[in-house]
Amino acid sequence: MLKILKKFSRRILRSLFMSKDNLKIGFYGPPNDGKTSLANVICKDWTGEEIGKVSDIPHETRKVQQKEKVEIKYKGKTLTFKIVDTPGIATKIDYEEFLKFGVKKREAKKRAKEATQGIIESIKWLDDMDAVIIVLNSAKNPYSQVNITIVGNLVARKIPVLIVANKIDKKKSDIKKVESVFPEYDVVGISAKKKKNIEEFYESLFKLAKKV
Ligand SMILES: Nc1nc2c(ncn2[C@@H]2O[C@H](COP(=O)(O)OP(=O)(O)OP(=O)(O)O)[C@@H](O)[C@H]2O)c(=O)[nH]1
Ligand SMILES: [Mg+2]
């Protein structure tokens, strides 16, 4: 209770007196949908360095990783962000899934254990975020237990949300479907891999920052 009060008063204080600088932006979503890829595009663009490793194998990110003081300019305005890339959230982690990618059994079991711990870490960090970007694979059905749970959590905590419909380069990509599942949120379609629509993404990011 005290924690919620503290958080609430910090928000009020920020909106009254503090500049919206150094906003903590969390990248959340299911594994493999492109959180790290997008965070890398941003960090590379504005700091010259990437934030972490990208892989075809799900649960590549198993620890929260962050980049401080990422200064982003858009249409003459500058905002500073702390970019927080989190481990993908899943309802079930089966080590056998990793074997298909050629990971050895022992390593796969270790990866599954770390991935479970990573999910717990992701959820813990949620409370600390000023705003959250949910990164989804727009070629997959957006109506999933994981997505609904993440959004529900954010609504309950009154954390502003932007939904990124990633992988628009894929044939099956359907941004309209993402919009129809989450009609009350801003949705921006991009391809982190092919760097498509990144300007529109920055526009949405600045809009999101205004809501903090
Ligand atoms: N076609 C396509 N592939 C993408 C795109 N963005 C990311 N990928 C690929 O999707 C895979 C997963 O990307 P990551 O950035 O590691 O995904 P993540 O959400 O960080 O995954 P976890 O760390 O496992 O939670 C990699 O093979 C990327 O190259 C995209 O816009 N289009
Ligand atoms: Mg990742």
Side-chain angles (χ1 to χ4, degrees), residues 1 9 64 87 93 97 106 120 123 148 160 169 182 201 206 210:
M1 188 62 196
S9 49
V64 171
I93 299 169
E97 187 190 348
R106 204 149 73 136
I120 298 168
I123 304 287
I148 305 294
D169 56 291
F182 304 105
F201 165 77
F206 273 54
K210 266 192 176 171

mmCIF file with all atom_site columns, all heavy atoms in Angstrom, residues 1 9 64 87 93 97 106 120 123 148 160 169 182 201 206 210:
data_model
loop_
_atom_site.group_PDB
_atom_site.id
_atom_site.type_symbol
_atom_site.label_atom_id
_atom_site.label_alt_id
_atom_site.label_comp_id
_atom_site.label_asym_id
_atom_site.label_entity_id
_atom_site.label_seq_id
_atom_site.pdbx_PDB_ins_code
_atom_site.Cartn_x
_atom_site.Cartn_y
_atom_site.Cartn_z
_atom_site.occupancy
_atom_site.B_iso_or_equiv
_atom_site.pdbx_formal_charge
_atom_site.auth_seq_id
_atom_site.auth_comp_id
_atom_site.auth_asym_id
_atom_site.auth_atom_id
_atom_site.pdbx_PDB_model_num
ATOM 1   N N   . MET A 1 1   ? 0.851  -1.208  0.000   1.00 0.00 ? 1   MET A N   1
ATOM 2   C CA  . MET A 1 1   ? 0.000  0.000   0.000   1.00 0.00 ? 1   MET A CA  1
ATOM 3   C C   . MET A 1 1   ? 0.879  1.248   0.000   1.00 0.00 ? 1   MET A C   1
ATOM 4   O O   . MET A 1 1   ? 0.669  2.168   -0.802  1.00 0.00 ? 1   MET A O   1
ATOM 5   C CB  . MET A 1 1   ? -0.911 -0.041  1.244   1.00 0.00 ? 1   MET A CB  1
ATOM 6   C CG  . MET A 1 1   ? -1.960 1.053   1.240   1.00 0.00 ? 1   MET A CG  1
ATOM 7   S SD  . MET A 1 1   ? -3.074 0.861   -0.189  1.00 0.00 ? 1   MET A SD  1
ATOM 8   C CE  . MET A 1 1   ? -3.832 2.451   -0.240  1.00 0.00 ? 1   MET A CE  1
ATOM 9   N N   . SER A 1 9   ? 2.424  9.475   -5.536  1.00 0.00 ? 9   SER A N   1
ATOM 10  C CA  . SER A 1 9   ? 2.844  10.840  -5.229  1.00 0.00 ? 9   SER A CA  1
ATOM 11  C C   . SER A 1 9   ? 4.020  11.252  -6.111  1.00 0.00 ? 9   SER A C   1
ATOM 12  O O   . SER A 1 9   ? 4.135  12.412  -6.507  1.00 0.00 ? 9   SER A O   1
ATOM 13  C CB  . SER A 1 9   ? 3.188  10.995  -3.747  1.00 0.00 ? 9   SER A CB  1
ATOM 14  O OG  . SER A 1 9   ? 4.040  9.979   -3.341  1.00 0.00 ? 9   SER A OG  1
ATOM 15  N N   . VAL A 1 64  ? 16.976 -8.378  -17.301 1.00 0.00 ? 64  VAL A N   1
ATOM 16  C CA  . VAL A 1 64  ? 16.642 -7.018  -17.710 1.00 0.00 ? 64  VAL A CA  1
ATOM 17  C C   . VAL A 1 64  ? 17.929 -6.289  -18.099 1.00 0.00 ? 64  VAL A C   1
ATOM 18  O O   . VAL A 1 64  ? 18.937 -6.390  -17.401 1.00 0.00 ? 64  VAL A O   1
ATOM 19  C CB  . VAL A 1 64  ? 15.919 -6.285  -16.557 1.00 0.00 ? 64  VAL A CB  1
ATOM 20  C CG1 . VAL A 1 64  ? 15.756 -4.805  -16.860 1.00 0.00 ? 64  VAL A CG1 1
ATOM 21  C CG2 . VAL A 1 64  ? 14.558 -6.916  -16.278 1.00 0.00 ? 64  VAL A CG2 1
ATOM 22  N N   . PRO A 1 87  ? 13.032 -9.479  -20.374 1.00 0.00 ? 87  PRO A N   1
ATOM 23  C CA  . PRO A 1 87  ? 12.853 -10.846 -20.878 1.00 0.00 ? 87  PRO A CA  1
ATOM 24  C C   . PRO A 1 87  ? 11.401 -11.070 -21.325 1.00 0.00 ? 87  PRO A C   1
ATOM 25  O O   . PRO A 1 87  ? 10.476 -10.568 -20.684 1.00 0.00 ? 87  PRO A O   1
ATOM 26  C CB  . PRO A 1 87  ? 13.178 -11.717 -19.660 1.00 0.00 ? 87  PRO A CB  1
ATOM 27  C CG  . PRO A 1 87  ? 14.026 -10.865 -18.781 1.00 0.00 ? 87  PRO A CG  1
ATOM 28  C CD  . PRO A 1 87  ? 13.519 -9.468  -18.966 1.00 0.00 ? 87  PRO A CD  1
ATOM 29  N N   . ILE A 1 93  ? 7.067  -22.446 -20.118 1.00 0.00 ? 93  ILE A N   1
ATOM 30  C CA  . ILE A 1 93  ? 8.395  -22.598 -20.718 1.00 0.00 ? 93  ILE A CA  1
ATOM 31  C C   . ILE A 1 93  ? 8.776  -24.072 -20.652 1.00 0.00 ? 93  ILE A C   1
ATOM 32  O O   . ILE A 1 93  ? 8.834  -24.661 -19.572 1.00 0.00 ? 93  ILE A O   1
ATOM 33  C CB  . ILE A 1 93  ? 9.458  -21.751 -19.994 1.00 0.00 ? 93  ILE A CB  1
ATOM 34  C CG1 . ILE A 1 93  ? 9.090  -20.265 -20.088 1.00 0.00 ? 93  ILE A CG1 1
ATOM 35  C CG2 . ILE A 1 93  ? 10.841 -21.975 -20.600 1.00 0.00 ? 93  ILE A CG2 1
ATOM 36  C CD1 . ILE A 1 93  ? 9.910  -19.389 -19.188 1.00 0.00 ? 93  ILE A CD1 1
ATOM 37  N N   . GLU A 1 97  ? 11.435 -27.141 -26.178 1.00 0.00 ? 97  GLU A N   1
ATOM 38  C CA  . GLU A 1 97  ? 11.263 -26.166 -27.261 1.00 0.00 ? 97  GLU A CA  1
ATOM 39  C C   . GLU A 1 97  ? 12.635 -25.708 -27.790 1.00 0.00 ? 97  GLU A C   1
ATOM 40  O O   . GLU A 1 97  ? 12.803 -25.464 -28.982 1.00 0.00 ? 97  GLU A O   1
ATOM 41  C CB  . GLU A 1 97  ? 10.495 -24.965 -26.678 1.00 0.00 ? 97  GLU A CB  1
ATOM 42  C CG  . GLU A 1 97  ? 10.076 -23.937 -27.681 1.00 0.00 ? 97  GLU A CG  1
ATOM 43  C CD  . GLU A 1 97  ? 9.552  -22.665 -26.998 1.00 0.00 ? 97  GLU A CD  1
ATOM 44  O OE1 . GLU A 1 97  ? 9.316  -22.685 -25.765 1.00 0.00 ? 97  GLU A OE1 1
ATOM 45  O OE2 . GLU A 1 97  ? 9.418  -21.662 -27.699 1.00 0.00 ? 97  GLU A OE2 1
ATOM 46  N N   . ARG A 1 106 ? 21.254 -30.130 -21.711 1.00 0.00 ? 106 ARG A N   1
ATOM 47  C CA  . ARG A 1 106 ? 21.687 -29.489 -20.469 1.00 0.00 ? 106 ARG A CA  1
ATOM 48  C C   . ARG A 1 106 ? 21.546 -27.956 -20.542 1.00 0.00 ? 106 ARG A C   1
ATOM 49  O O   . ARG A 1 106 ? 21.034 -27.303 -19.631 1.00 0.00 ? 106 ARG A O   1
ATOM 50  C CB  . ARG A 1 106 ? 23.142 -29.848 -20.190 1.00 0.00 ? 106 ARG A CB  1
ATOM 51  C CG  . ARG A 1 106 ? 23.408 -29.715 -18.695 1.00 0.00 ? 106 ARG A CG  1
ATOM 52  C CD  . ARG A 1 106 ? 24.351 -30.548 -18.172 1.00 0.00 ? 106 ARG A CD  1
ATOM 53  N NE  . ARG A 1 106 ? 25.752 -30.361 -18.421 1.00 0.00 ? 106 ARG A NE  1
ATOM 54  C CZ  . ARG A 1 106 ? 26.584 -30.479 -17.418 1.00 0.00 ? 106 ARG A CZ  1
ATOM 55  N NH1 . ARG A 1 106 ? 26.123 -30.642 -16.215 1.00 0.00 ? 106 ARG A NH1 1
ATOM 56  N NH2 . ARG A 1 106 ? 27.869 -30.430 -17.646 1.00 0.00 ? 106 ARG A NH2 1
ATOM 57  N N   . ILE A 1 120 ? 9.862  -13.422 -13.975 1.00 0.00 ? 120 ILE A N   1
ATOM 58  C CA  . ILE A 1 120 ? 9.605  -12.866 -12.640 1.00 0.00 ? 120 ILE A CA  1
ATOM 59  C C   . ILE A 1 120 ? 10.248 -11.471 -12.547 1.00 0.00 ? 120 ILE A C   1
ATOM 60  O O   . ILE A 1 120 ? 9.636  -10.521 -12.069 1.00 0.00 ? 120 ILE A O   1
ATOM 61  C CB  . ILE A 1 120 ? 10.149 -13.811 -11.534 1.00 0.00 ? 120 ILE A CB  1
ATOM 62  C CG1 . ILE A 1 120 ? 9.410  -15.147 -11.612 1.00 0.00 ? 120 ILE A CG1 1
ATOM 63  C CG2 . ILE A 1 120 ? 10.029 -13.178 -10.149 1.00 0.00 ? 120 ILE A CG2 1
ATOM 64  C CD1 . ILE A 1 120 ? 10.004 -16.263 -10.789 1.00 0.00 ? 120 ILE A CD1 1
ATOM 65  N N   . ILE A 1 123 ? 8.253  -8.767  -14.509 1.00 0.00 ? 123 ILE A N   1
ATOM 66  C CA  . ILE A 1 123 ? 7.050  -8.327  -13.790 1.00 0.00 ? 123 ILE A CA  1
ATOM 67  C C   . ILE A 1 123 ? 7.430  -7.413  -12.620 1.00 0.00 ? 123 ILE A C   1
ATOM 68  O O   . ILE A 1 123 ? 6.791  -6.389  -12.402 1.00 0.00 ? 123 ILE A O   1
ATOM 69  C CB  . ILE A 1 123 ? 6.235  -9.554  -13.262 1.00 0.00 ? 123 ILE A CB  1
ATOM 70  C CG1 . ILE A 1 123 ? 5.887  -10.504 -14.404 1.00 0.00 ? 123 ILE A CG1 1
ATOM 71  C CG2 . ILE A 1 123 ? 4.999  -9.115  -12.490 1.00 0.00 ? 123 ILE A CG2 1
ATOM 72  C CD1 . ILE A 1 123 ? 4.822  -10.047 -15.365 1.00 0.00 ? 123 ILE A CD1 1
ATOM 73  N N   . ILE A 1 148 ? -2.942 -10.068 -23.172 1.00 0.00 ? 148 ILE A N   1
ATOM 74  C CA  . ILE A 1 148 ? -4.070 -9.543  -22.388 1.00 0.00 ? 148 ILE A CA  1
ATOM 75  C C   . ILE A 1 148 ? -3.618 -9.306  -20.945 1.00 0.00 ? 148 ILE A C   1
ATOM 76  O O   . ILE A 1 148 ? -3.980 -8.304  -20.327 1.00 0.00 ? 148 ILE A O   1
ATOM 77  C CB  . ILE A 1 148 ? -5.282 -10.524 -22.430 1.00 0.00 ? 148 ILE A CB  1
ATOM 78  C CG1 . ILE A 1 148 ? -5.687 -10.823 -23.877 1.00 0.00 ? 148 ILE A CG1 1
ATOM 79  C CG2 . ILE A 1 148 ? -6.453 -10.020 -21.598 1.00 0.00 ? 148 ILE A CG2 1
ATOM 80  C CD1 . ILE A 1 148 ? -6.229 -9.701  -24.700 1.00 0.00 ? 148 ILE A CD1 1
ATOM 81  N N   . PRO A 1 160 ? 1.100  4.472   -18.835 1.00 0.00 ? 160 PRO A N   1
ATOM 82  C CA  . PRO A 1 160 ? 0.788  4.686   -20.252 1.00 0.00 ? 160 PRO A CA  1
ATOM 83  C C   . PRO A 1 160 ? 1.426  3.625   -21.160 1.00 0.00 ? 160 PRO A C   1
ATOM 84  O O   . PRO A 1 160 ? 2.542  3.183   -20.908 1.00 0.00 ? 160 PRO A O   1
ATOM 85  C CB  . PRO A 1 160 ? 1.392  6.065   -20.550 1.00 0.00 ? 160 PRO A CB  1
ATOM 86  C CG  . PRO A 1 160 ? 1.569  6.716   -19.229 1.00 0.00 ? 160 PRO A CG  1
ATOM 87  C CD  . PRO A 1 160 ? 1.803  5.614   -18.238 1.00 0.00 ? 160 PRO A CD  1
ATOM 88  N N   . ASP A 1 169 ? 7.014  -6.503  -42.184 1.00 0.00 ? 169 ASP A N   1
ATOM 89  C CA  . ASP A 1 169 ? 7.586  -7.011  -43.436 1.00 0.00 ? 169 ASP A CA  1
ATOM 90  C C   . ASP A 1 169 ? 7.092  -8.420  -43.749 1.00 0.00 ? 169 ASP A C   1
ATOM 91  O O   . ASP A 1 169 ? 7.232  -8.912  -44.867 1.00 0.00 ? 169 ASP A O   1
ATOM 92  C CB  . ASP A 1 169 ? 9.112  -6.993  -43.341 1.00 0.00 ? 169 ASP A CB  1
ATOM 93  C CG  . ASP A 1 169 ? 9.609  -7.786  -42.149 1.00 0.00 ? 169 ASP A CG  1
ATOM 94  O OD1 . ASP A 1 169 ? 9.400  -7.350  -40.994 1.00 0.00 ? 169 ASP A OD1 1
ATOM 95  O OD2 . ASP A 1 169 ? 10.182 -8.860  -42.336 1.00 0.00 ? 169 ASP A OD2 1
ATOM 96  N N   . PHE A 1 182 ? -6.880 -4.209  -29.422 1.00 0.00 ? 182 PHE A N   1
ATOM 97  C CA  . PHE A 1 182 ? -6.560 -3.174  -28.426 1.00 0.00 ? 182 PHE A CA  1
ATOM 98  C C   . PHE A 1 182 ? -7.025 -1.802  -28.911 1.00 0.00 ? 182 PHE A C   1
ATOM 99  O O   . PHE A 1 182 ? -6.204 -0.911  -29.150 1.00 0.00 ? 182 PHE A O   1
ATOM 100 C CB  . PHE A 1 182 ? -5.052 -3.152  -28.144 1.00 0.00 ? 182 PHE A CB  1
ATOM 101 C CG  . PHE A 1 182 ? -4.512 -4.478  -27.698 1.00 0.00 ? 182 PHE A CG  1
ATOM 102 C CD1 . PHE A 1 182 ? -3.766 -5.265  -28.555 1.00 0.00 ? 182 PHE A CD1 1
ATOM 103 C CD2 . PHE A 1 182 ? -4.767 -4.941  -26.411 1.00 0.00 ? 182 PHE A CD2 1
ATOM 104 C CE1 . PHE A 1 182 ? -3.274 -6.499  -28.146 1.00 0.00 ? 182 PHE A CE1 1
ATOM 105 C CE2 . PHE A 1 182 ? -4.280 -6.172  -26.000 1.00 0.00 ? 182 PHE A CE2 1
ATOM 106 C CZ  . PHE A 1 182 ? -3.535 -6.951  -26.864 1.00 0.00 ? 182 PHE A CZ  1
ATOM 107 N N   . PHE A 1 201 ? 7.384  5.573   -35.507 1.00 0.00 ? 201 PHE A N   1
ATOM 108 C CA  . PHE A 1 201 ? 7.560  5.048   -34.155 1.00 0.00 ? 201 PHE A CA  1
ATOM 109 C C   . PHE A 1 201 ? 8.014  6.172   -33.202 1.00 0.00 ? 201 PHE A C   1
ATOM 110 O O   . PHE A 1 201 ? 7.480  6.306   -32.101 1.00 0.00 ? 201 PHE A O   1
ATOM 111 C CB  . PHE A 1 201 ? 8.572  3.893   -34.122 1.00 0.00 ? 201 PHE A CB  1
ATOM 112 C CG  . PHE A 1 201 ? 9.032  3.585   -32.732 1.00 0.00 ? 201 PHE A CG  1
ATOM 113 C CD1 . PHE A 1 201 ? 8.204  2.879   -31.859 1.00 0.00 ? 201 PHE A CD1 1
ATOM 114 C CD2 . PHE A 1 201 ? 10.255 4.055   -32.262 1.00 0.00 ? 201 PHE A CD2 1
ATOM 115 C CE1 . PHE A 1 201 ? 8.592  2.642   -30.544 1.00 0.00 ? 201 PHE A CE1 1
ATOM 116 C CE2 . PHE A 1 201 ? 10.648 3.819   -30.953 1.00 0.00 ? 201 PHE A CE2 1
ATOM 117 C CZ  . PHE A 1 201 ? 9.822  3.121   -30.094 1.00 0.00 ? 201 PHE A CZ  1
ATOM 118 N N   . PHE A 1 206 ? 7.071  9.968   -28.672 1.00 0.00 ? 206 PHE A N   1
ATOM 119 C CA  . PHE A 1 206 ? 6.951  11.311  -28.088 1.00 0.00 ? 206 PHE A CA  1
ATOM 120 C C   . PHE A 1 206 ? 5.531  11.563  -27.576 1.00 0.00 ? 206 PHE A C   1
ATOM 121 O O   . PHE A 1 206 ? 5.347  12.232  -26.565 1.00 0.00 ? 206 PHE A O   1
ATOM 122 C CB  . PHE A 1 206 ? 7.401  12.385  -29.088 1.00 0.00 ? 206 PHE A CB  1
ATOM 123 C CG  . PHE A 1 206 ? 8.893  12.635  -29.024 1.00 0.00 ? 206 PHE A CG  1
ATOM 124 C CD1 . PHE A 1 206 ? 9.799  11.593  -29.161 1.00 0.00 ? 206 PHE A CD1 1
ATOM 125 C CD2 . PHE A 1 206 ? 9.384  13.911  -28.777 1.00 0.00 ? 206 PHE A CD2 1
ATOM 126 C CE1 . PHE A 1 206 ? 11.173 11.812  -29.062 1.00 0.00 ? 206 PHE A CE1 1
ATOM 127 C CE2 . PHE A 1 206 ? 10.764 14.148  -28.685 1.00 0.00 ? 206 PHE A CE2 1
ATOM 128 C CZ  . PHE A 1 206 ? 11.662 13.096  -28.835 1.00 0.00 ? 206 PHE A CZ  1
ATOM 129 N N   . LYS A 1 210 ? 4.313  12.222  -23.524 1.00 0.00 ? 210 LYS A N   1
ATOM 130 C CA  . LYS A 1 210 ? 3.402  13.290  -23.087 1.00 0.00 ? 210 LYS A CA  1
ATOM 131 C C   . LYS A 1 210 ? 2.387  12.784  -22.076 1.00 0.00 ? 210 LYS A C   1
ATOM 132 O O   . LYS A 1 210 ? 1.879  13.556  -21.261 1.00 0.00 ? 210 LYS A O   1
ATOM 133 C CB  . LYS A 1 210 ? 2.628  13.828  -24.302 1.00 0.00 ? 210 LYS A CB  1
ATOM 134 C CG  . LYS A 1 210 ? 3.267  15.028  -24.947 1.00 0.00 ? 210 LYS A CG  1
ATOM 135 C CD  . LYS A 1 210 ? 2.284  15.636  -25.907 1.00 0.00 ? 210 LYS A CD  1
ATOM 136 C CE  . LYS A 1 210 ? 2.836  16.905  -26.524 1.00 0.00 ? 210 LYS A CE  1
ATOM 137 N NZ  . LYS A 1 210 ? 1.955  17.358  -27.612 1.00 0.00 ? 210 LYS A NZ  1
#
